[in-house]
Amino acid sequence: MYNVLFVIWLITYLVGAVWYVLYLMHMFQQNSYKPREYREWMGVHTNVGRLLGKCLYAIVSFFLVLLTNIEYPAVMIAACLLNGMTILVNKPHKAKKPLVYTKRVKRMLLTTGILYLLVILAALCVGYCGFITFPAVEFPWNDPVMWEMWSVSLALLAMFILQPFLILLVNLINHPIEKGIDQYYINDAARLLREMPNLKVVGVTGSYGKTSVKYFLNTLLSSQYNVLYTPGNFNTTLGVVRTIRENMKPFHEIFICEMGAREVGDIKEICDLVHPDYGIITSIGPQHLQSFHTIENIISTKFELADAVPETGKVFLNYDNSYIKEHKIQKSVVSYGTTEEKVAFRAYDIEVSARGSSFKMQDENGAVHDFHTKLVGSHNVQNIAGAIAVAHTLGIPMEKLIYPVKQLESVPHRLQLVKQGDRIILDDAYNSNKNGFEAALDTLSMFKELRILMTPGMVELGEKQYDENKEVGVYAADKCDYAVLVGKEQTKPIQDGLLEAGFPQGKMILVDSLQEAFQMVNAIPNERQKVILIENDLPDNYA
């Protein structure tokens, strides 16, 4: 009876452990496989409680197994039921961005499985040795099976509790293998680039706006050149490597390379691979401060792109951004913007409506050109101005850019205008920063419809998180008619900012999830057509 119950207990325990391992692997992947960021995620108070909750039933189950040494099968059955609760608590749920079973993840899971197997075998040996060492101890300790059951149970409990740290151990064990594999792919991508000496590389970076500028550039440059660009969020070194190895063809004339960064040196690493001929820095702001720590580190990291551009190339800088404008470099600079008058490419007379945005731009000869785009918002126009500056500098006449600008499509979840039945959605859910948040609020304020802000606030701002969120709360007070805030504790700074600025408390709605937020929006009386700004949608490691 004991053996059968123990096998059932062991199987259910391991199923719960597997689900727990997959959850933690998902979080490690969400934190970009960065040990430091993963450790910071573990250290967040809400996550500590969540991790303890995922272990609670397993801990109680272990102590019940320990009690079975006095021959209580009913207690063993209860332990199996507790394992069932562990399975339910850790069972994978629908995620915004599910765990991707990359080759790296598969290798980490294999190493994790091997560690579990080794620990179980070691526990069996320890249990057997314990029986040999204490043969005269009274029942049940003189039963070798009982010794082994107790030993394996204790080992599995320790593994379960320590699993968040075991992920880091597995990553450390696999590091030499991963580094060797990565270097092989990097060397192969570098070889492919060396075989295309006439290829022009345009690097794009910034705290925000870089993905939009990348897509806009692709549309504009494709009107005259064969262009390859890094798709989606392939803005890390390995994402760039994958793009080159899988998609680069001999006929490509321009490669648009988006460059993301979470730490100092990340952009330099990409530049050392692709050697950009041109670079555009779209913005700089206090984003990812948890990893960068200071705004000075962010500035120096973004300007790693400018440092890599040769003397024969050009660096395109958004002079609307004070951090960029005030950082002087010894390179050929082409400035652009919407608010600064003394720039080489300036978009002005911006008008926004539900149909899109229109603006004017002047070329180097003083001729004024009228542009219209389906996109809304002054910061979309700012990004388009940067793309126009690059495309024109690379040889496309301004008048030939008018039609491609009309054809520009919204980048998904980056102030994307979506007409949904009788309401308008301004989808700015991809991520959020103070400048982008305020620009999106400016766009929302231009609408005559019932203006609704829906947001969980901003994250990854380190010590500035409260202040930055409170400031956008103050800024939002006269830009929206209703504020639907997702996460009562998460959005406390925004609540404080709204109330401080005199926003009516009765029009501030607090909810726990995005789904509940939409339900509450639907319940708001239809005074007039609704326009809803969705600002940020936290990833799963913040959910």
Side-chain angles (χ1 to χ4, degrees), residues 2 68-70 139-141 143-151:
Y2 268 127
T68 60
N69 287 318
I70 25 182
F139 184 85
W141 301 100
D143 183 343
V145 174
M146 301 306 302
W147 276 97
E148 291 171 352
M149 286 172 56
W150 187 87
S151 182

Side-chain angles (χ1 to χ4, degrees), residues 5 20 52 62 69 106 125 129 171 227 229 232 236 238 244 262 278 330 333 397 416 422 450 455 488 500 510 527 536:
L5 287 175
Y20 190 38
L52 288 174
F62 162 73
N69 287 318
K106 290 177 182 177
C125 291
C129 291
N171 183 66
V227 180
Y229 66 96
T236 63
L238 293 181
I244 294 169
R262 286 178 177 266
Y278 303 90
Q330 300 300 315
V333 171
Q416 180 183 14
D422 61 345
L450 188 67
T455 184
K488 296 173 184 176
E500 183 179 296
L510 306 181
E527 304 169 18
N536 205 10

Side-chain angles (χ1 to χ4, degrees), residues 15-250:
V15 170
V18 167
W19 289 147
Y20 190 38
V21 168
L22 292 177
Y23 167 75
L24 292 169
M25 194 67 70
H26 185 202
M27 294 301 100
F28 189 60
Q29 187 178 74
Q30 289 275 299
N31 284 285
S32 304
Y33 303 109
K34 302 278 189 181
R36 185 175 68 180
E37 293 186 20
Y38 175 74
R39 287 194 301 268
E40 289 174 348
W41 171 82
M42 283 197 298
V44 176
H45 175 71
T46 53
N47 291 329
V48 171
R50 182 182 297 145
L51 294 176
L52 288 174
K54 287 178 174 291
C55 294
L56 180 62
Y57 294 110
I59 294 171
V60 177
S61 176
F62 162 73
F63 284 108
L64 288 181
V65 168
L66 187 62
L67 290 175
T68 60
N69 287 318
I70 25 182
E71 290 188 320
Y72 285 151
V75 177
M76 195 70 174
I77 293 172
C80 293
L81 293 175
L82 281 168
N83 286 348
M85 293 299 296
T86 302
I87 292 171
L88 289 176
V89 168
N90 290 285
K91 184 179 179 182
H93 63 281
K94 185 177 180 181
K96 298 167 187 172
K97 186 178 180 182
L99 173 64
V100 181
Y101 288 88
T102 62
K103 291 181 180 179
R104 177 172 184 171
V105 166
K106 290 177 182 177
R107 286 190 291 268
M108 289 188 69
L109 290 175
L110 177 62
T111 303
T112 303
I114 292 172
L115 280 180
Y116 264 84
L117 181 61
L118 291 175
V119 167
I120 291 173
L121 291 174
L124 289 172
C125 291
V126 170
Y128 181 75
C129 291
F131 167 69
I132 297 297
T133 306
F134 304 101
V137 179
E138 293 184 2
F139 184 85
W141 301 100
N142 59 356
D143 183 343
V145 174
M146 301 306 302
W147 276 97
E148 291 171 352
M149 286 172 56
W150 187 87
S151 182
V152 169
S153 301
L154 181 59
L156 287 176
L157 176 67
M159 292 285 282
F160 208 113
I161 294 174
L162 295 174
Q163 186 58 57
F165 302 96
L166 289 176
I167 291 288
L168 293 171
L169 175 61
V170 168
N171 183 66
L172 184 63
I173 292 171
N174 284 12
H175 180 70
I177 298 172
E178 299 299 336
K179 188 174 181 180
I181 293 171
D182 291 349
Q183 194 58 53
Y184 168 80
Y185 290 141
I186 290 171
N187 292 341
D188 190 49
R191 175 188 61 81
L192 291 171
L193 289 174
R194 286 195 301 271
E195 293 174 356
M196 300 183 65
N198 296 323
L199 181 73
K200 296 296 182 184
V201 179
V202 181
V204 184
T205 194
S207 297
Y208 42 91
K210 57 184 176 293
T211 302
S212 296
V213 169
K214 173 187 69 179
Y215 282 114
F216 299 162
L217 263 178
N218 175 61
T219 299
L220 301 189
L221 291 172
S222 293
S223 65
Q224 186 165 309
Y225 301 102
N226 288 314
V227 180
L228 174 67
Y229 66 96
T230 49
N233 295 319
F234 280 37
N235 59 15
T236 63
T237 300
L238 293 181
V240 173
V241 165
R242 182 176 172 183
T243 302
I244 294 169
R245 296 183 69 247
E246 294 181 1
N247 304 112
M248 185 70 74
K249 304 299 179 187

Side-chain angles (χ1 to χ4, degrees), residues 445-463:
S445 69
M446 295 178 183
F447 285 85
K448 297 178 181 179
E449 291 80 1
L450 188 67
R451 305 163 304 175
I452 302 170
L453 168 65
M454 183 189 298
T455 184
M458 301 176 292
V459 296
E460 294 185 350
L461 296 175
E463 296 178 354

